[in-house]
Amino acid sequence: MQRQKRVAAIHDISGFGRCSLTVALPILSAAGVECTVMPTAVLSTHTGGFTGFTYRDLTADMLPMAQHWKALGLSFDALYSGFLGSFEQLALVGEIFDLFRTPDNLILVDPVMGDEGKLYSVYSPDMAKGMAELCAKADVIVPNLTEAAFLLGEEYRPGPYTEGYIRQVAERLAKLGPEKVVLTGVSFDDRLLGAASFDGASGSLDFYGRERVEGYFHGTGDVFGSTLLSGLMNGESLTEAARLAVDFTHGCILRTREEGTDRRYGVDFERELPRLIEQLSKKNG
Ligand code: PXL
């Protein structure tokens, strides 16, 4: 039997609203991956569409947590960062990556900053410069096209896109440092929506999309990133893992649309998990 993989997930805990750690932990666990968590902040809800949420910043706890893990001799097959609770955390997460970097582990940065052309309300524009520096330490980054524009310091363009545009965005993001870039929210027409995986080493670009479902579904970036990492930790290539993540995220969106749940409540990924497990076990024979 293969040795079990262990991941450290560095995201916030939004008590209500299915995103960040309340999505990453169950998805990685279902995928058979041991998930160590470092909460960057604890909120009553996420910040997307709710008002009056509580916000407990955990910046001061992060390095001591990492140092404790290091003292215990723990190592991680992947480090996965997402929503950060403060600007200062960008440098701290960089330090934590340095602490646990090995020649063959994976650093995945989801540069969570915004969507639909806008930064999340808790962030200021200088977050983008710090996030670009953090992305330089990653092997793989998973920005949506809003985050890609902020990382590159340029204006956001809504889709549909041309392949040339997606390729040059991915190439310029790879020049920031990460070898691999998975762009989410990519569409070349009105019908399909999906992800483009770019491998800087070979220059290959792969697009995989499913039928677009109209509207905004909160937390799907985290569902996507966590599933992508689940695939990678189960030995899939970047392209296969991105396809798995598009399919899973699309399945969750279809369920949620069917149920007619408030879009701020996150997607019903829980009842889609058996399909993810089935897909992973099919591939792993
Ligand atoms: O899903 C991204 C995300 C994560 N965490 C918090 C958020 C958001 C997006 O709004 O507010 C706290």
Side-chain angles (χ1 to χ4, degrees):
M1 201 165 72
Q2 253 212 340
R3 183 181 61 80
Q4 189 182 20
K5 295 285 169 52
R6 180 190 295 136
V7 161
I10 310 173
H11 306 243
D12 69 286
I13 296 179
S14 289
F16 180 77
R18 292 181 290 199
C19 65
S20 28
L21 281 181
T22 65
V23 160
L25 177 57
I27 290 180
L28 285 157
S29 299
V33 179
E34 178 185 352
C35 186
T36 306
V37 299
M38 179 179 290
T40 56
V42 178
L43 297 81
S44 51
T45 66
H46 60 69
T47 66
F50 296 108
T51 52
F53 48 83
T54 68
Y55 195 109
R56 173 81 54 196
D57 173 37
L58 294 178
T59 305
D61 291 1
M62 291 171 63
L63 213 46
M65 281 184 83
Q67 282 159 345
H68 184 216
W69 294 343
K70 192 72 191 175
L72 292 173
L74 298 178
S75 60
F76 301 101
D77 296 289
L79 294 142
Y80 170 30
S81 72
F83 183 96
L84 301 183
S86 67
F87 181 80
E88 297 73 54
Q89 287 185 10
L90 289 163
L92 284 176
V93 173
E95 264 184 73
I96 294 165
F97 287 168
D98 293 342
L99 204 55
F100 291 103
R101 180 51 125 173
T102 67
D104 44 28
N105 69 357
L106 177 90
I107 296 184
L108 173 66
V109 171
D110 184 350
V112 177
M113 287 190 289
D115 216 339
E116 299 189 304
K118 292 192 288 286
L119 283 179
Y120 293 135
S121 60
V122 286
Y123 288 152
S124 65
D126 50 342
M127 194 76 187
K129 206 167 155 285
M131 193 59 94
E133 284 165 22
L134 187 63
C135 287
K137 289 183 181 274
D139 299 300
V140 184
I141 61 170
V142 272
N144 59 37
L145 281 142
T146 300
E147 290 152 352
F150 276 103
L151 289 171
L152 296 172
E154 62 185 32
E155 193 97 338
Y156 166 73
R157 276 172 48 182
Y161 304 98
T162 61
E163 198 183 319
Y165 175 76
I166 293 299
R167 173 173 281 280
Q168 61 93 0
V169 166
E171 279 175 355
R172 285 189 298 141
L173 287 171
K175 286 213 180 88
L176 294 176
E179 183 172 82
K180 293 171 176 158
V181 176
V182 180
L183 287 168
T184 61
V186 174
S187 60
F188 296 126
D189 54 41
D190 289 337
R191 195 171 69 84
L192 296 182
L193 182 67
S197 319
F198 177 72
D199 184 339
S202 65
S204 67
L205 181 76
D206 179 77
F207 171 74
Y208 180 67
R210 297 290 301 264
E211 301 68 37
R212 170 194 293 278
V213 178
E214 275 319 313
Y216 182 73
F217 290 84
H218 198 93
T220 47
D222 300 326
V223 170
F224 182 91
S226 305
T227 312
L228 179 83
L229 184 58
S230 296
L232 293 173
M233 289 293 102
N234 277 278
E236 297 197 346
S237 68
L238 185 75
T239 317
E240 288 169 334
R243 288 173 176 238
L244 179 81
V246 168
D247 280 336
F248 183 70
T249 309
H250 183 251
C252 297
I253 287 174
L254 288 183
R255 267 180 198 280
T256 308
R257 181 182 62 177
E258 187 110 335
E259 286 158 40
T261 325
D262 186 321
R263 298 287 168 90
R264 297 172 303 169
Y265 291 10
V267 290
D268 177 358
F269 72 90
E270 294 91 345
R271 289 187 289 179
E272 195 67 12
L273 284 174
R275 281 190 49 196
L276 177 66
I277 296 169
E278 199 183 303
Q279 289 233 306
L280 285 171
S281 52
K282 239 192 278 168
K283 290 192 177 165
N284 293 331

